[in-house]
Amino acid sequence: MDVRSHPIERFLAATAPEHTATQAEMAELADDWGFPTIGPEAGAVLRLLARLTDAERVFEFGSGFGYSATWFLRGGADAVICTEFDEDEATRGVAFAADGGYADRVTFEVGDAMETIERYDGPFDVVLIDHQKHRYADAYRTVLPKVRTGGAIVADNITRGPIDFPDLVAHFEDGAPLPDPEVDEETRGIGEYVGTVRSDDAVETAILPVGSGIAVSTKVV
Ligand SMILES: C[S@@+](CC[C@H](N)C(=O)[O-])C[C@H]1O[C@@H](n2cnc3c(N)ncnc32)[C@H](O)[C@@H]1O
């Protein structure tokens, strides 16, 4: 059975929050472009995390045209720093923000997110990692000192996406080696990310099977 037609998946889709008008336009554009947004099921978790952390500042690695950012804003986040190396996507994001009336709460930084983060000081209340999978663990290590205690780090595409999920299952169940980076750097990147956060006492992590699967870590030190 295709996992997307599983009754639990259908139930989650049917009970996810409704899109705002701007989010609905973004979803339409994502369909047109075949662009992978985080979707409303995982978006609802971003909204929840912003609300629970009373978020003032959020940082995103990989924002596209700002769909995920809108969920943080819906959770009350004061400001979201979006990073995107595709100029067209960022330009669309700026236009959506203007049309949606939230341009004063988002900043689009065009360029490599790994360089952009070096120019920002913390503290951040929530961070989303959703860029190149082989750089997730590096992004985590770089941003962790800038996340406040009690803040959250979310990584997307943990169970689905351009990864070989059975390889990940074999790794975590039986200790099978992760794929060679030359063969499959994306699956390897996700495996390394999950291994990194699970072995780091600075955070506590739960993996939630919503959307493409998200790892949610909270900083405890
Ligand atoms: C999965 S999409 C992000 C989706 C977005 N978070 C959402 O839910 O709508 C990944 C995006 O990250 C961008 N990207 C990948 N690597 C990046 C990097 N190193 N710096 C900035 N953007 C990057 C890609 O161009 C792409 O738009």
Side-chain angles (χ1 to χ4, degrees):
M1 183 193 289
D2 179 343
V3 72
R4 270 153 287 195
S5 62
H6 191 284
I8 293 177
E9 292 256 329
R10 284 170 35 215
F11 180 75
L12 290 173
T15 57
E18 298 287 334
H19 277 146
T20 62
T22 302
Q23 287 177 325
E25 282 176 35
M26 290 176 157
E28 219 169 283
L29 181 63
D31 278 349
D32 283 354
W33 286 3
F35 182 83
T37 69
I38 201 159
E41 296 91 334
V45 179
L46 304 187
R47 182 179 69 166
L48 184 71
L49 289 170
R51 189 71 67 195
L52 291 175
T53 59
D54 201 9
E56 289 175 13
R57 291 174 81 227
V58 174
F59 189 93
E60 291 191 341
F61 292 83
S63 298
F65 41 77
Y67 175 86
S68 42
T70 59
W71 287 102
F72 289 122
L73 297 176
R74 283 182 69 174
D78 293 330
V80 183
I81 297 141
C82 295
T83 63
E84 179 50 61
F85 62 25
D86 183 308
E87 209 160 337
D88 290 343
E89 290 173 26
T91 300
R92 294 301 284 256
V94 170
F96 275 124
D99 291 349
Y102 54 87
D104 55 334
R105 294 165 69 200
V106 292
T107 303
F108 272 87
E109 295 280 4
V110 178
D112 187 346
M114 305 297 285
E115 289 170 17
T116 303
I117 187 60
E118 300 293 350
R119 290 190 276 108
Y120 276 86
D121 292 328
F124 297 113
D125 303 286
V126 190
V127 170
L128 174 66
I129 301 179
D130 195 11
H131 64 323
Q132 294 151 301
K133 283 119 210 91
H134 67 283
R135 300 171 91 187
Y136 273 28
D138 273 353
Y140 168 78
R141 283 187 283 267
T142 303
V143 83
L144 185 66
K146 302 183 184 195
V147 176
R148 72 162 169 85
T149 303
I153 301 176
V154 182
D156 191 27
N157 301 294
I158 301 299
T159 61
R160 191 194 292 163
I163 58 166
D164 190 333
F165 189 55
D167 276 3
L168 281 186
V169 176
H171 175 68
F172 287 102
E173 265 186 0
D174 305 324
L178 288 169
D180 208 73
E182 282 84 50
V183 176
D184 182 354
E185 66 178 3
E186 293 177 322
T187 303
R188 187 183 179 88
I190 295 295
E192 285 181 346
Y193 182 82
V194 173
T196 299
V197 292
R198 288 188 74 234
S199 63
D200 189 346
D201 291 339
V203 293
E204 292 170 349
T205 299
I207 294 179
L208 308 181
V210 288
S212 299
I214 54 177
V216 182
S217 305
T218 186
K219 187 168 172 182
V220 293
V221 293

